[in-house]
Amino acid sequence: QVQLQQSGAELMKPGASVKISCKTSDYTFSSYWIEWVKQRPGHGLEWIGEILPGSGITNYNVKFKGKATFTADTSSNTAYMQLSSLTSEDSAVYYCAKGNYSHWGQGTLVTVSA
Amino acid sequence: DIVLTQSPASLAVSLGQRATISCRASQSVSTSSYSYMQWYQQKPGQPPKLLIKYASNLESGVPARFSGSGSGTDFTLNIHPVEEVDTATYYCQHSWEIPPTFGGGTKLEIK
């Protein structure tokens, strides 16, 4: 069945960058958007953006431009999101989801702390 | 960005009764054919789970106790009869334009 498996929790220093992976299986990876969503307690769910792996086309929420960068490796059916210049505001759970939101990864907790 | 306002923020419903959650959009998210509104259920420590797409279409595998309705700017999620397992936070989300945005969530408790 369709699965999205995300990389593990990260503890990062302020100013650093982190790259989260989302390995997919059992569907045509190149044909569906991968969505990225941020969740912080008290801030609800925020759409960061999306990538269409087959073409590399990306769409970003203006709020996250310059913060998030999406890539995809069709040979391994894996999508990546890099977050740069981390601050405490980036501490959150990050999810990837298949484009129609029918399937989600389990989430990756990123904690930014000195 | 389209703002989605959910109400109530929390509610407690007796087992077997009806739970009704509302979502109001700051502008229409409907055409004459489709309403671009989804509903999700999220339990602690889990990702959101898609329940309803296009305002009223039940996602595969979701119990028929869940139903969605509405168009334009006003949408509703109903759960009837509620079960203990329905304890969760529920979110609406539009997909009318980029960025898709989510409502603030409604926390449902079963009495």
Side-chain angles (χ1 to χ4, degrees), chain B residues 12-94:
Chain B
V13 176
S14 298
L15 192 66
Q17 299 304 302
R18 177 181 299 274
T20 299
I21 299 169
S22 297
C23 178
R24 174 164 288 177
S26 59
Q27 67 178 74
S28 177
V29 296
S30 299
T31 66
S32 56
S33 302
Y34 293 101
S35 290
Y36 292 85
M37 183 64 71
Q38 283 67 245
W39 288 95
Y40 298 86
Q41 175 194 68
Q42 187 178 31
K43 298 182 179 181
Q46 297 183 20
K49 174 186 176 182
L50 179 63
L51 299 174
I52 304 279
K53 54 191 176 187
Y54 299 113
S56 59
N57 291 49
L58 202 64
E59 178 70 355
S60 175
V62 174
R65 303 182 286 105
F66 294 89
S67 63
S69 63
S71 65
T73 60
D74 292 301
F75 297 88
T76 302
L77 174 69
N78 278 285
I79 312 168
H80 181 260
V82 296
E83 298 183 3
E84 288 279 358
V85 71
D86 299 332
T87 298
T89 301
Y90 294 84
Y91 296 94
C92 56
Q93 178 215 28
H94 80 83

Side-chain angles (χ1 to χ4, degrees), chain A residues 68-89:
Chain A
T69 303
F70 307 134
T71 55
D73 179 359
T74 54
S75 68
S76 63
N77 295 334
T78 303
Y80 299 90
M81 177 176 66
Q82 179 162 313
L83 299 170
S84 61
S85 304
L86 292 170
T87 73
S88 59
E89 299 289 296

Side-chain angles (χ1 to χ4, degrees), chain A residues 9-68:
Chain A
E10 302 273 9
L11 175 59
M12 309 300 297
K13 300 285 189 191
S17 295
V18 66
K19 195 170 188 177
I20 299 168
S21 65
C22 173
K23 183 170 178 57
T24 72
S25 58
D26 281 348
Y27 75 94
T28 306
F29 176 66
S30 58
S31 299
Y32 291 85
W33 293 89
I34 290 287
E35 313 290 332
W36 290 94
V37 175
K38 177 181 183 180
Q39 186 169 37
R40 281 188 295 168
H43 289 80
L45 295 158
E46 291 183 280
W47 183 80
I48 301 170
E50 61 186 358
I51 183 168
L52 185 59
S55 63
I57 296 172
T58 55
N59 292 305
Y60 292 92
N61 187 333
V62 168
K63 183 179 176 182
F64 292 94
K65 275 191 174 174
K67 170 63 65 179

